[in-house]
Amino acid sequence: MDASIRKVQQGDANALAYIQTESWKAAFAGILDAETLAKCTDADRATAMYQRLLDENKGNGYLLSVDGNPHCIAYWDAARDAAFRGKAELICIHSLPDNWHKGYGSQMMDLVLTDIREAGYDEVVLWVFRENHRARAFYEANGFTMTGHSKPAFDTEEILYSKAIR
């Protein structure tokens, strides 16, 4: 299988939304209640959000394709929370579940961390649902550690991870 990664561009909104919503359905079915999950995985709403990001050239987005088919997305930017000013934030990394555990997420993570480092950041943070043990194991395998910060999110809780990238 041939994987390639490129920056997102106009015309990608549908693919980005599809990957996000399908990933959320698979990953968060046991974490979020059905109503919240249905609202968060509305394809039209997700497509509009990604189109807005593309139109405003907001964030740093990447799309990984496997054999020419979109599979994984990632977005990062300056940390959104003022308490973490001066740090980068990995806003999302989502993959279609049919290719989980094949190394594509790690390829994406390597590229994103390199991009963040080259942009001049020396630390990156990310929020993850406390109950998302699969994602937490992935982040920990990539050198992220829990910080002790948490916040309510939907009907559950997110915890903050951090990684130095000097």
Side-chain angles (χ1 to χ4, degrees), residues 52-65:
R52 190 171 47 259
L53 291 173
L54 292 167
D55 289 346
E56 296 172 4
N57 197 27
K58 180 127 178 70
N60 302 280
Y62 292 92
L63 178 65
L64 180 146
S65 294

Side-chain angles (χ1 to χ4, degrees), residues 15-29 31 37 40-41 50 71-73 92-98 100 132 134-135 139:
L16 297 170
Y18 178 76
I19 293 167
Q20 176 182 311
T21 57
E22 292 303 305
S23 172
W24 272 56
K25 288 174 189 175
F28 304 150
I31 297 171
L37 186 58
C40 291
T41 57
Y50 281 110
H71 167 68
C72 180
I73 62 172
C92 75
I93 184 166
H94 300 299
S95 298
L96 293 174
D98 59 338
W100 284 352
N132 192 347
R134 184 187 53 79
Y139 296 136

Side-chain angles (χ1 to χ4, degrees), residues 2-6 8 16 19 62-74 94-95 103-109:
D2 179 43
S4 62
I5 304 173
R6 65 168 173 77
V8 296
L16 297 170
I19 293 167
Y62 292 92
L63 178 65
L64 180 146
S65 294
V66 177
D67 293 334
N69 298 309
H71 167 68
C72 180
I73 62 172
H94 300 299
S95 298
Y104 300 121
S106 294
Q107 288 178 38
M108 181 68 88
M109 181 66 81

Side-chain angles (χ1 to χ4, degrees), residues 33-50:
D33 68 60
E35 184 179 326
T36 300
L37 186 58
K39 191 182 323 178
C40 291
T41 57
D42 177 85
D44 292 336
R45 186 173 156 185
T47 301
M49 177 196 69
Y50 281 110

Side-chain angles (χ1 to χ4, degrees), residues 76 88-91 93 105-106 108-110 112-114 116 122-128 135-147 159-165:
W76 75 270
E89 181 177 352
L90 178 59
I91 297 166
I93 184 166
S106 294
M108 181 68 88
M109 181 66 81
D110 290 345
V112 167
L113 292 175
T114 297
I116 292 169
D122 60 9
E123 187 175 353
V124 59
V125 297
L126 63 86
W127 293 98
V128 60
R136 290 177 59 188
F138 172 74
Y139 296 136
E140 290 168 8
N142 279 279
F144 285 83
T145 57
M146 289 184 5
T147 66
I159 54 178
L160 187 74
Y161 274 74
S162 177
K163 176 183 172 93
I165 54 169

